Amino acid sequence: MARIPQHFIDELLERVDIVDLIDSRVPLKKKGSEYAACCPFHTEKTPSFYVVPDKQFYHCFGCGAHGTALSFLMEFDHLDFRDAVQDLADRVGLEIPTEASAPSPDPDGHLRAALAHADDYFRRQLRQSEAAKAYLQGRRVSGKTAARFGLGYAPDQWSGLLDSVDSDARREALLSTGMLVRKDSGRFYDRFRGRVMFPIRDSRGRTIAFGGRVIGEAQGPKYYNSPEHPLFHKGRELYGLYEARQALRSIPRLLVVEGYMDVIALAEAGIHWAVATLGTATTPDHLDKAFRITREVVCCFDGDRAGRQAAWRALENALPALRAGREVRFLFLPEGEDPDSMVRREGADAFQQRVAGAESLSRWMRRHLSEDLDLGTAEGRAALVEKARPLLARVRDRVYRELLSDELADAAGLDPARWAAMLADATETAPSSKPAPDTAAPTRPRIQRPAPLQIRLTPVREALAILLQSPRIATRVAEQPKLATLDLPGADTLAKMLEICRAEPEIRTATLLERWRGEQAHPHLEKLATTRVPGEDEDLARHLDAILARLTGPRAIAARMTELLDKAASDGLDQTEKEELRALQQARAAQEKAG
């Protein structure tokens, strides 16, 4: 597999804010210059999990968990290194480059190129269509917003896009992505005709499909989406997510609406955190994608019967994705209204107040399940238990499942313990509907780590801890000859770290640590990064200088010189060793002269 270049890892860690990343999964509270929470990796009641912005590093004083943004994703989301890098790259809209002996072909590259051609074609057609521009102006879409979302126009012609390509390969690619349709006779025609076109983009901003809104006298449904193909699965994509991430550095919440124009109207009003599903109910994949960048999702629906039914489907799909730190809420608009009409009628501030007052999932679930039940009777409470049991079984996170269960117990007017007993009784009497054992299990069992061990700081370890604490200090200490050749554990790592920190004095702890990812020293360095050596930078620089001088002092130099001289007498020295010996001789001469 092609290797991810180190310079890209460095850039990624510089762009991603570990506070925003962790806060999207575990709510953090500011404590001084750091942020704290109850540790997501072991059970505790008092917060001992701290995130240090300056280092871009986290550490739990309870269980010892620690690491960078990549480490957090690998442990919290159970990702391997490459998937964690991809997740961070998606967050900031970067494409991962690779280093390999031969370039790896993109098997879907011809499809991407065809869709990029279609995207460019539709944009050019919009500039030439007075009818399409008039439609967007009538919907109060500015040129700036149209450009930001890449809006285009498919002329009301059977072969506009078809005629714009001049190769059989490109026509076949457009056919594979659903942009062209083949007749029984073998001839092609354009799928989209007489429609304003909405490009659907992936996390890197590449167009993977289109939605089209009919205007004028064109035939067909009002809205129409590309069919699914290898690059596009509508149950996984959220329209407007790429644009939201480009507009906002941090996304505290996402509003999930039902239409392209809803997203665009909200963006026009300054609400840049709206996304839309593509003609489907909100799926678990949608929610997993949303929760990668935020901790709160608000699903917006009409207040009519169809809207409530759609909301209930969304709730059922949301249950497996829920866990502590994630919140799903529901906003019901007045019947006959949608976000587009509401934000134009009442303004952005009033609409955002509606969003802020959206109903929590637990309350909506409680209200919906209790409808038409008399909870003052045994029969009503038994019916609630029967309705709630399969839904609670879908919640994989134990803590969230218990809290949701307590909410329903309150609705029934029962003590939580009695409610739990009734649920258990119902489960025992209905074996055919019991969930599989792993369905009700938490997705991420809390790891019972031993208490962190105190690290004994040898001079080399102490020097490493100082550099990890404040990498810029390396520029303030004297260079020592051939530190890497000392016969001491970690000396080669210390020499390499000094070299990196001198060359890149602004490097941060997290970026520095990732230089050793996959090497034997990496876990030891992560532990050292949790160790604070007391003192200001000036004091630490003097202390580090003293450590290095001691490590490379007369005894250390004499021992290495003896080793090299013995080798010279027996096997001879290579050029590098000769240069090292000369440097050591010069260092010893300087020491003798000085003292």
Side-chain angles (χ1 to χ4, degrees), residues 347-365:
D349 290 344
F351 186 84
Q352 290 188 83
Q353 289 177 6
R354 284 183 179 273
V355 176
E359 192 171 21
S360 68
L361 179 143
S362 60
R363 290 300 175 91
W364 162 233
M365 183 176 178

Side-chain angles (χ1 to χ4, degrees), residues 108 110-111 114-115 168-182 188 191 208 226-232:
D108 298 317
H110 64 300
L111 302 182
L115 289 163
D168 291 341
R170 179 61 52 86
R171 279 190 287 271
E172 288 295 331
L174 287 171
L175 178 68
S176 297
T177 58
M179 302 309 296
L180 298 179
V181 180
R182 180 183 278 140
F188 296 95
R191 180 180 295 274
I208 56 174
S226 294
E228 294 193 345
H229 57 78
L231 299 177
F232 174 57

Side-chain angles (χ1 to χ4, degrees), residues 57 72 133 184 229 249-250 269 323 389 393 414 505 541 553 558 580:
F57 191 78
F72 182 83
K133 287 189 286 188
D184 292 340
H229 57 78
R249 181 174 177 273
S250 176
R323 57 176 177 246
R389 183 179 52 77
L414 293 172
E580 179 187 353

Side-chain angles (χ1 to χ4, degrees), residues 342-457:
M342 288 297 296
V343 78
R344 284 193 282 115
R345 183 166 64 81
E346 65 182 15
D349 290 344
F351 186 84
Q352 290 188 83
Q353 289 177 6
R354 284 183 179 273
V355 176
E359 192 171 21
S360 68
L361 179 143
S362 60
R363 290 300 175 91
W364 162 233
M365 183 176 178
R366 169 179 177 162
R367 184 161 62 88
H368 185 84
L369 291 179
S370 301
E371 285 178 348
D372 304 323
L373 295 180
D374 182 357
L375 297 180
T377 66
E379 292 80 5
R381 290 192 290 271
L384 182 60
V385 168
E386 186 60 28
K387 285 172 133 184
R389 183 179 52 77
L391 294 170
L392 291 172
R394 293 171 64 91
V395 182
R396 296 169 179 164
D397 185 83
R398 176 182 57 82
V399 173
Y400 195 93
R401 187 169 63 248
E402 290 177 356
L403 293 173
L404 197 55
S405 181
D406 289 349
E407 179 83 21
L408 294 174
D410 182 68
L414 293 172
D415 177 84
R418 177 59 183 144
W419 168 263
M422 292 175 69
L423 283 175
D425 289 343
T427 301
E428 291 174 3
T429 58
S432 62
S433 60
K434 284 179 68 176
D438 61 343
T439 300
T443 55
R444 185 186 351 94
R446 292 179 178 258
I447 301 167
Q448 298 300 319
R449 288 187 178 85
L453 299 174
Q454 296 296 320
I455 302 173
R456 187 176 65 85
L457 291 182

Side-chain angles (χ1 to χ4, degrees), residues 252-271:
R253 68 162 63 101
L254 279 174
L255 178 69
V256 181
V257 296
E258 296 186 89
Y260 302 110
M261 283 306 303
D262 292 326
V263 173
I264 289 172
L266 290 168
E268 190 71 66
I271 300 172

Side-chain angles (χ1 to χ4, degrees), residues 28-175:
L28 298 171
K29 291 185 178 179
K30 198 167 189 344
K31 285 198 172 183
S33 62
E34 300 178 351
Y35 293 81
C38 287
C39 181
F41 302 120
H42 81 287
T43 303
E44 65 177 6
K45 295 182 179 179
T46 302
S48 61
F49 179 85
Y50 282 79
V51 182
V52 188
D54 289 346
K55 291 186 177 183
Q56 290 291 292
F57 191 78
Y58 68 88
H59 173 57
C60 177
F61 292 95
C63 69
H66 52 256
T68 66
L70 286 169
S71 305
F72 182 83
L73 285 178
M74 291 170 71
E75 184 148 11
F76 190 88
D77 286 356
H78 295 309
L79 302 179
D80 62 23
F81 176 72
R82 180 169 284 273
D83 286 342
V85 171
Q86 184 66 69
D87 188 293
L88 291 186
D90 288 346
R91 288 177 67 88
V92 295
L94 293 178
E95 184 167 356
I96 301 176
T98 57
E99 293 176 351
S101 55
S104 300
D106 180 357
D108 298 317
H110 64 300
L111 302 182
R112 298 186 200 283
L115 289 163
H117 171 86
D119 195 357
D120 180 67
Y121 170 78
F122 293 138
R123 292 196 207 194
R124 285 188 281 109
Q125 295 303 309
L126 176 61
R127 291 195 290 270
Q128 300 171 20
S129 172
E130 295 303 321
K133 287 189 286 188
Y135 169 78
L136 292 175
Q137 289 167 1
R139 298 295 296 265
R140 302 182 187 178
V141 178
S142 67
K144 181 179 179 181
T145 298
R148 181 178 158 228
F149 283 87
L151 302 188
Y153 175 64
D156 193 9
Q157 303 169 5
W158 287 97
S159 61
L161 177 60
L162 175 62
D163 293 341
S164 73
V165 298
D166 57 5
S167 73
D168 291 341
R170 179 61 52 86
R171 279 190 287 271
E172 288 295 331
L174 287 171
L175 178 68

